């Protein structure tokens, strides 16, 4: 799709700038395509090129934001799983702490529910020294848990940023598609116009300029 898009864009550029640079062609078609209408083609090309570059930029930013979020989420998710594993080992016979840490519940896959479980787990650990003592034996010290609490706040912000960047990337894609359709429609009409005025061997003049009528 990318190669096809670039190929069609280049054909359109050759068409518009080829016509624009040749006074004899402009003179022949001026009643249908006066100078200002030819200039509009240049503007449409520039608009489409800008839209394409904008889409590339937004896609890169979206990809970067998504990667940062995913890295943070994966790290926190792995830590949550580790906490639950240690908790099940030490508190399997303690109904109160098992319930508090929700160890008998599955870890949700949806982010909001996952985040709620992670927050509740961290808050439970911070408020219970007995839990902290056991987790410390598995290198999950209070300092590690406090850092996790901070990271859980940050991961919310990272998710919002990733969603914002994704939305902007989608908007940029839509804008590029709309600009491309508008540009291609213009090129199609200009080719049809040239088709009216150039027949037979005369078309060689257009071909020399890289202009393809049909």
């Amino acid at each position: 799709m990318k190669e096809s898009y670039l190929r069609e864009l280049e054909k359109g550029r050759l068409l518009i700038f080829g016509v624009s640079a040749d006074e004899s062609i402009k003179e022949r078609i001026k009643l249908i395509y006066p100078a200002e209408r030819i200039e509009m083609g240049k503007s449409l090309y520039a608009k489409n090129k800008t839209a394409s570059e904008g889409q590339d930029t937004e896609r890169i930013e979206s990809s970067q934001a998504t990667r940062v979020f995913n890295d943070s989420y994966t790290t926190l998710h792995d830590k949550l799983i580790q906490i639950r594993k240690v908790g099940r080992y030490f508190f399997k016979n303690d109904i109160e702490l098992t319930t508090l840490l929700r160890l008998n519940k599955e870890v949700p896959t949806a982010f909001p529910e996952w985040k709620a479980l992670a927050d509740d787990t961290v808050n439970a650990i911070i408020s219970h020294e007995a839990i902290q003592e056991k987790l410390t034996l598995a290198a999950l010290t209070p300092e590690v848990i406090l850092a996790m609490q901070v990271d859980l706040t940050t991961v919310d912000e990272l998710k919002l940023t990733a969603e914002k960047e994704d939305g902007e990337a989608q908007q940029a894609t839509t804008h590029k598609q709309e600009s491309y359709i508008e540009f291609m429609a213009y090129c199609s009409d200009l080719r049809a116009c040239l088709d009216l005025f150039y027949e037979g061997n005369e078309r060689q003049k257009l071909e020399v300029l890289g202009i393809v009528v049909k």
Side-chain angles (χ1 to χ4, degrees), residues 49-63:
K49 187 177 180 184
T50 300
S52 179
E53 292 170 349
Q55 183 202 38
D56 289 341
T57 298
E58 293 298 342
R59 277 182 169 177
I60 291 171
E61 292 177 354
S62 176
S63 178

Side-chain angles (χ1 to χ4, degrees), residues 28-183:
R28 186 174 291 197
I29 67 174
K30 69 179 182 180
L31 292 179
I32 299 176
Y33 269 81
E36 60 270 18
R37 192 174 181 189
I38 293 174
E39 288 300 312
M40 184 178 75
K42 293 181 180 180
S43 298
L44 289 174
Y45 171 76
K47 177 183 176 182
N48 197 84
K49 187 177 180 184
T50 300
S52 179
E53 292 170 349
Q55 183 202 38
D56 289 341
T57 298
E58 293 298 342
R59 277 182 169 177
I60 291 171
E61 292 177 354
S62 176
S63 178
Q64 289 175 338
T66 298
R67 184 171 59 252
V68 171
F69 164 71
N70 285 337
D71 287 347
S72 177
Y73 170 77
T74 299
T75 298
L76 287 166
H77 181 76
D78 291 346
K79 196 164 293 183
L80 177 63
I81 297 301
Q82 183 186 7
I83 289 171
R84 289 168 64 82
K85 183 178 179 180
V86 174
R88 287 194 180 107
Y89 177 81
F90 285 112
F91 309 125
K92 56 180 175 291
N93 296 320
D94 191 321
I95 296 176
E96 180 184 351
L97 294 183
T98 295
T99 301
L100 185 64
L101 293 170
R102 295 163 62 182
L103 297 178
N104 292 326
K105 300 288 186 180
E106 293 292 329
V107 177
T109 54
F111 181 80
E113 290 77 12
W114 172 87
K115 176 65 165 46
L117 174 62
D119 284 335
D120 289 346
T121 298
V122 167
N123 291 334
I125 295 169
I126 291 174
S127 61
H128 284 75
E129 290 187 9
I131 300 177
Q132 294 176 36
E133 290 174 0
K134 295 301 183 183
L135 292 182
T136 298
L137 298 176
L140 293 167
T141 64
E143 290 75 20
V144 170
I145 301 303
L146 287 173
M148 185 177 176
Q149 186 179 43
V150 173
D151 291 340
L152 281 169
T153 300
T154 302
V155 78
D156 262 336
E157 299 169 358
L158 294 177
K159 182 169 177 58
L160 289 174
T161 299
E163 290 173 343
K164 173 178 173 293
E165 294 294 345
D166 181 62
E168 291 177 355
Q170 291 181 25
Q171 288 179 353
T173 297
T174 298
H175 178 56
K176 174 188 169 181
Q177 291 172 341
E178 292 173 348
S179 299
Y180 180 69
I181 291 171
E182 185 180 19
F183 179 64

